[in-house]
Amino acid sequence: MILDRYGRLIPETTESKPVSGMQIVMQPLTDREGLDVSRGLTPRDVDRILVQANGGDVEAQCRLSRELPEKSPAVAHALRTRRNALTGCRWHIEPGDGSTRATEAAKRLKSDLDAAGTAHPKAGRLWSFPQLLAGLTDAVLPGFAAAEIVWRPGGLGFYGFRPVEQRFFSFTKSYSPRLRTTGHLYEGEEPGYGKLVFHALHDGIDPVRGGLIRPLAWLFCFSQINHKDLLSFIERYGMPFVRATVDQATWEKEKVTLNDLISNFGPRGGGVFSRNVEVELLQAASTTGDVYFRLLEYLDDAITKVLLGQTASSGDSSGLSGGDAQSEVRHDILAADARALEETVNRDLFAVWMRCNYPPGVPSPRLQIETEPPEDEKAAAEKNLILAQTIQSLA
């Protein structure tokens, strides 16, 4: 018992340790297959989804983030390119400083991470550490991604990591993540200490407003409307239209045959009129559909710019580091994604592991992701050979 100078009891503090095993139990909150928020998406739907997210209810926004890449080729391609650029970077673990204890901690942490990804009796097959890094890049659209840390007893290493879907979180009561469970469907509840790696991409304090789903939802909505108009245009100008003009007596006698005849030319491909009806088919100023194709191209370019920061493709990237895999993503975006991922892992995973395994004062290891393109080995070898030959000739 310790008292202060006034004789009052000073409460003892104990270092928290994360609970081992799987703790986060995700139960279905709604029918998985019966809800598709992107189906028939209108501007009013987009506005409703974003307003709900502004209030902390992010389920519809997270579902939209999951569904958009399945329905938009432009979103799928650009998103995959951005995520692959980051996951394709090499990474390593650096000691907190040059001391012996820090070097030892970095080696031991690397060993524990290499062993992660085993099967768990409750959770099944768990993620390895590289899979964790890849999974956290899913934050690009919804603005955040999370995974449960399945600790070994006492925080001495990891069984592995388990993804937690974004729709299982609520931000109605706080800017920090709260898990939606059966008893807390709306406001959620705080996750346990050291149980969650929570990766957020946002400039302010609100993680629900930092995802690229917000501008992309509008672009996808407009492109869907334009696609429908384009298909209707092609249907009108891309197939023959049959017009039959008959008198009343023929119509009364042969109307069934005439209807069957018109139907055989395809849907919306014909019409029957009496001789007393005058019909004028108004034509568009342009029958090429160029305005629709130009608008679709503009929307696809806008989607690519939002996700990649530029519109150059792998076949047109001579000005972007020669067309390698990372050159399709602007380097400043790639570097920002890498620094954000490093910060999340260093804070939510490495620092907690360090508290469980080493005394205070030993600096925590750090994750380092190499975003600079690797040097061409052949070019470097030729350069070194020329340099060696030059030095030898001067000797």
Side-chain angles (χ1 to χ4, degrees), residues 108-121:
R108 183 178 167 190
L109 175 58
K110 179 63 166 58
S111 177
D112 285 353
L113 292 174
D114 290 340
T118 59
H120 189 273

Side-chain angles (χ1 to χ4, degrees), residues 244-260 262 271-275:
T245 305
V246 299
D247 54 34
Q248 187 65 28
T250 304
W251 168 248
E252 294 294 341
K253 183 179 179 180
E254 303 289 347
K255 59 182 177 181
V256 176
T257 303
L258 288 171
N259 278 332
D260 291 341
I262 295 299
V272 181
F273 307 95
S274 68
R275 293 186 182 276

Side-chain angles (χ1 to χ4, degrees), residues 124-151:
R125 190 69 183 179
L126 299 173
W127 276 356
S128 64
F129 183 65
Q131 288 173 322
L132 171 68
L133 297 180
L136 293 179
T137 63
D138 192 37
V140 173
L141 289 193
F144 63 92
E148 179 185 7
I149 308 171
V150 185
W151 295 91

Side-chain angles (χ1 to χ4, degrees), residues 207-334:
V208 308
R209 308 187 74 154
L212 298 182
I213 185 60
R214 301 176 76 87
L216 291 177
W218 292 108
L219 294 173
F220 172 76
C221 177
F222 298 147
S223 67
Q224 288 299 103
I225 295 173
N226 190 57
H227 272 114
K228 293 177 181 178
D229 293 339
L230 175 60
L231 292 175
S232 297
F233 185 90
I234 293 174
E235 185 178 50
R236 177 173 179 179
Y237 289 100
M239 66 171 58
F241 189 91
V242 179
R243 174 183 176 183
T245 305
V246 299
D247 54 34
Q248 187 65 28
T250 304
W251 168 248
E252 294 294 341
K253 183 179 179 180
E254 303 289 347
K255 59 182 177 181
V256 176
T257 303
L258 288 171
N259 278 332
D260 291 341
L261 176 64
I262 295 299
S263 299
N264 288 335
F265 282 90
R268 302 177 186 177
V272 181
F273 307 95
S274 68
R275 293 186 182 276
N276 296 326
V277 176
E278 182 178 350
V279 178
E280 182 181 1
L281 298 178
L282 301 178
Q283 302 294 325
S286 172
T287 59
T288 63
D290 181 64
V291 62
Y292 296 105
F293 289 108
R294 289 175 60 187
L295 180 55
L296 282 174
E297 183 180 357
Y298 167 79
L299 293 173
D300 284 351
D301 285 347
I303 289 173
T304 305
K305 286 181 180 179
V306 168
L307 283 167
L308 304 181
Q310 57 199 15
T311 59
S313 64
S314 59
D316 182 26
S317 54
S318 58
L320 302 169
S321 304
D324 58 11
Q326 295 180 2
S327 67
E328 294 187 35
V329 182
R330 272 178 41 174
H331 184 266
D332 54 346
I333 295 178
L334 176 61

